[in-house]
Amino acid sequence: MNFSQSLFDECKSIGIELSELALNRFEKYYNMLIEYNERMNLTAITEEKEVIVKHFCDSLYLLTKYDIKTGAKVIDVGTGAGFPGIPLLIARPDLKLTLLDGLNKRLVFLSDVLQELGLTAEIVHSRAEDGAKDKKYREKFDVATSRAVARLNVLSEYCLPYVKKDGVFLAMKGPAATDELCEAENALRVLGGKVECVEKYVLSDESERSIIIVKKMAHTHPAYPRHNSKIKKQPL
């Protein structure tokens, strides 16, 4: 089975039907991921089927678990090799996407990918806690998302300051997400967030995943996010 057919079938099984254009873009993205990965450390997952399931489909599950409105402003915090941001943009080119990462070489890769795919997104070279202090980005997004970056109490301080009031933070997690909810209770309260629900799902390789949906109920106090060392040493 070729790449496009395999991806199409996987996505259709989760309720997402990709166009011919989207399938072509995903294939180009995959080829660039493998090519650049030989020069820089982007992903440990390189086998075609695994990338389709564990990176592309996993990212697209967001669209099945939360209804992101047309033209929404979305920020992918600590985007790495572009997950979930670039798959979301391929499937939903209407989104106003910002990709933020602290490592410039990753952003060079993502810039090349966007150019090759004919897509547009803002690329920001910044640590999460610094970008969230910038008036251009603070509380300016309908959706902030992050995938496997840190535990929820820490991740919330990195991400919630980007979300506007009544927006959402979508934390992409593994099977133990509910274990992190108790220790994150205080952090969410302090930062103005409230857990709406935890959406669990299973990938076709039987990997268990979760998306924690956090509603932004109130503005985040200007004291947050703190310096990175403090966030890690003394989580809220």
Side-chain angles (χ1 to χ4, degrees):
M1 193 186 293
N2 66 25
F3 179 93
S4 291
Q5 190 62 54
S6 181
L7 177 62
F8 182 84
D9 291 347
E10 282 287 340
C11 288
K12 195 170 184 186
S13 73
I14 67 169
I16 291 176
E17 199 150 327
L18 295 175
S19 67
E20 198 69 40
L21 176 59
L23 291 167
N24 288 338
R25 281 171 165 161
F26 269 114
E27 188 158 9
K28 285 179 182 175
Y29 183 20
Y30 171 72
N31 289 332
M32 291 182 77
L33 183 70
I34 299 310
E35 180 196 335
Y36 279 68
N37 203 56
E38 290 175 5
R39 307 199 297 271
M40 61 177 85
N41 181 26
L42 291 168
T43 176
I45 297 167
T46 55
E47 194 273 318
E48 185 178 291
K49 183 71 171 177
E50 276 200 293
V51 171
I52 286 173
V53 173
K54 292 185 174 178
H55 282 329
F56 294 167
C57 280
D58 187 31
S59 296
L60 292 174
Y61 252 106
L62 269 187
L63 300 175
T64 73
K65 299 302 182 186
Y66 184 80
D67 185 17
I68 301 176
K69 68 183 183 185
T70 303
K73 289 188 72 177
V74 178
I75 185 166
D76 182 5
V77 180
T79 185
F83 308 119
I86 297 234
L88 293 178
L89 187 63
I90 293 173
R92 289 278 306 276
D94 62 283
L95 298 176
K96 307 282 189 295
L97 178 67
T98 297
L99 300 165
L100 181 141
D101 203 88
L103 202 58
N104 196 54
K105 65 179 182 178
R106 290 185 193 136
L107 297 176
V108 170
F109 163 70
L110 295 175
S111 180
D112 290 350
V113 167
L114 290 166
Q115 192 172 351
E116 179 67 26
L117 271 46
L119 291 169
T120 304
E122 183 175 4
I123 288 175
V124 181
H125 180 213
S126 174
R127 297 178 70 99
E129 70 277 12
D130 296 331
K133 293 283 191 184
D134 188 330
K135 285 179 184 172
K136 188 179 175 187
Y137 305 112
R138 187 176 183 86
E139 298 197 328
K140 292 291 190 289
F141 295 91
D142 302 297
V143 179
T145 186
S146 195
R147 184 172 176 254
V149 170
R151 289 186 72 80
L152 187 63
N153 56 345
V154 169
L155 193 59
S156 298
E157 190 166 354
Y158 289 137
C159 295
L160 270 171
Y162 289 100
V163 183
K164 59 172 73 163
K165 190 168 175 286
D166 296 324
V168 292
F169 164 40
L170 305 175
M172 303 190 74
K173 292 285 184 180
T178 42
D179 299 343
E180 297 181 32
L181 290 177
C182 288
E183 71 176 3
E185 263 181 28
N186 183 59
L188 292 171
R189 183 181 53 76
V190 168
L191 298 162
K194 183 184 178 186
V195 174
E196 282 209 326
C197 61
V198 179
E199 294 281 359
K200 294 179 180 290
Y201 58 98
V202 180
L203 298 174
S204 66
D205 68 349
E206 300 190 347
S207 305
E208 294 178 24
R209 297 281 192 273
S210 312
I211 298 170
I212 302 172
I213 299 175
V214 178
K215 181 85 178 280
K216 183 76 175 275
M217 309 299 289
H219 294 293
T220 302
H221 190 279
Y224 304 103
R226 299 164 295 161
H227 188 273
N228 186 49
S229 59
K230 199 145 199 183
I231 295 173
K232 287 183 173 174
K233 207 178 286 182
Q234 296 175 303
L236 289 171

